[in-house]
Amino acid sequence: MPLSAVQAATALPDSINVPDGHKVALETVGVGEITYECRDKADMPGQTEWVFVGPKAQLRDRSGKAVGSYFGPPATWQAKDGSKVTGTQLAVAPSSPGNLPYQLVKANPAEGQGAMTGVTYIQRVALKGGVAPSSACGVAQKGQREQVDYQADYIFWAAQ
């Protein structure tokens, strides 16, 4: 049974808590994959690393019904009604080993009218997977892409 937004928020690191004066507008579970590409490390000639390229996930409500999608770049959350938001990452905090970090995003004003209208913040919590591949990333693998499965709860907040 997934945690409610209130239960999840009380167990989160302070850096990703939503400021007071906001209420939960929508709770979703994102299920999908994250693409990584083997690329040269920035400012480190001859060294390579797996670099985050972008996500592709279905957003589901707590009953498992599809209610939207998450994709990027730029990171975009879109509801089935066509409304969507992009955002700017404000903070991340470590979750458990082998899982993406917790994340707090400040939402840009929504495009279109619907479920995303009024969303001000998005939290990524309850993470499973999604970290860079453990496979080799060397000169011979440069340019190769790998998809990694992940799941995360996305909690959308609006001003009260």
Side-chain angles (χ1 to χ4, degrees):
M1 182 79 183
L3 293 176
S4 73
V6 173
Q7 290 169 320
T10 59
L12 296 174
D14 287 344
S15 63
I16 67 149
N17 282 330
V18 173
D20 289 341
H22 292 82
K23 65 180 188 304
V24 173
L26 179 67
E27 293 181 60
T28 66
V29 178
V31 179
E33 58 192 28
I34 294 177
T35 300
Y36 289 90
E37 184 174 318
C38 184
R39 297 182 184 166
D40 287 324
K41 283 187 179 182
D43 303 321
M44 299 181 91
Q47 295 189 35
T48 55
E49 65 183 343
W50 287 108
V51 176
F52 175 90
V53 174
K56 182 179 179 185
Q58 182 181 70
L59 298 176
R60 302 175 184 164
D61 66 14
R62 293 293 184 197
S63 70
K65 179 183 165 203
V67 295
S69 57
Y70 172 53
F71 55 92
T76 304
W77 295 264
Q78 182 167 340
K80 286 271 191 195
D81 62 22
S83 63
K84 63 183 177 180
V85 292
T86 59
T88 302
Q89 178 177 286
L90 296 180
V92 292
S95 63
S96 50
N99 299 314
L100 289 171
Y102 296 116
Q103 181 183 48
L104 177 63
V105 171
K106 173 76 171 124
N108 294 318
E111 294 178 36
Q113 292 295 311
M116 297 299 175
T117 302
V119 168
T120 50
Y121 291 93
I122 304 158
Q123 281 179 313
R124 181 177 69 195
V125 298
L127 299 135
K128 295 178 187 167
V131 296
S134 56
S135 55
C137 173
V139 175
Q141 290 80 27
K142 272 187 13 182
Q144 287 185 8
R145 289 186 171 204
E146 285 200 28
Q147 280 80 33
V148 178
D149 291 337
Y150 92 105
Q151 179 176 315
D153 285 8
Y154 292 98
I155 303 172
F156 299 85
W157 296 79
Q160 288 181 315

